[in-house]
Amino acid sequence: MTEQGSPYHAHAYYLPDTRAAAEALRTRLIDNMKSGEIPQLLFVGQLKDRKAGPHPIPQFEMHFTREAVPVIVRLIEDSGLTALVHPLTDDDLADHTTLARWIGTPIELDLSTLDPPGRNQGVARFAKSDF
């Protein structure tokens, strides 16, 4: 079980025809983060119009604490986008699979890029120490 205050990620996916929805969601999240309306929202990344890590289609990520999960999930659901919401633990593979929650139709991830439990393949990763 994850603790209150523990770190979470979400990846919001988009295609060319849903990019505007992704931009709108990103803007809404940034506005909420800056206003303090969602104080547990810590970071909203850039739209990445390419494959990145295990994500085979364009996406952007956001970082937040467990307390923000319900509001983040609601905002993503309202956007109509597909997203992966997951905790950050010491098991990168489990984070993106068994511990993850999909919003919308799941996308097949490239699991070969993920770290095995307890090991980092040299790629900097947003982790518990960032909280």
Side-chain angles (χ1 to χ4, degrees), residues 6 15 22 26 38-39 44 49 91-92 115 120 130:
S6 59
L15 295 171
R26 183 177 178 275
I38 308 174
V44 178
D49 292 331
D91 188 337
D92 204 21
D115 295 333
N120 185 307
D130 295 317

Side-chain angles (χ1 to χ4, degrees), residues 64-110:
F64 47 95
T65 63
R66 180 178 164 78
E67 295 83 4
V69 170
V71 68
I72 299 296
V73 165
R74 182 181 47 79
L75 290 171
I76 294 169
E77 288 173 340
D78 290 350
S79 77
L81 296 170
T82 293
L84 178 69
V85 179
H86 65 84
L88 283 175
T89 70
D90 292 333
D91 188 337
D92 204 21
L93 181 60
D95 290 351
H96 288 81
T97 57
T98 58
L99 300 176
R101 171 185 177 184
W102 282 98
I103 298 169
T105 304
I107 295 168
E108 187 173 341
L109 301 177
D110 177 5

Side-chain angles (χ1 to χ4, degrees), residues 27-38:
T27 298
R28 188 170 182 192
L29 290 164
I30 289 171
D31 290 346
N32 282 310
M33 182 175 64
K34 287 181 178 177
S35 72
E37 191 171 332
I38 308 174

Side-chain angles (χ1 to χ4, degrees), residues 7 9 20 23-24 28 37 40 47 56 58 63 70 82-83 87 102 124 128:
H9 267 184
E23 288 175 343
R28 188 170 182 192
E37 191 171 332
Q40 304 88 357
L47 274 66
H63 306 167
T82 293
W102 282 98
K128 291 180 182 179

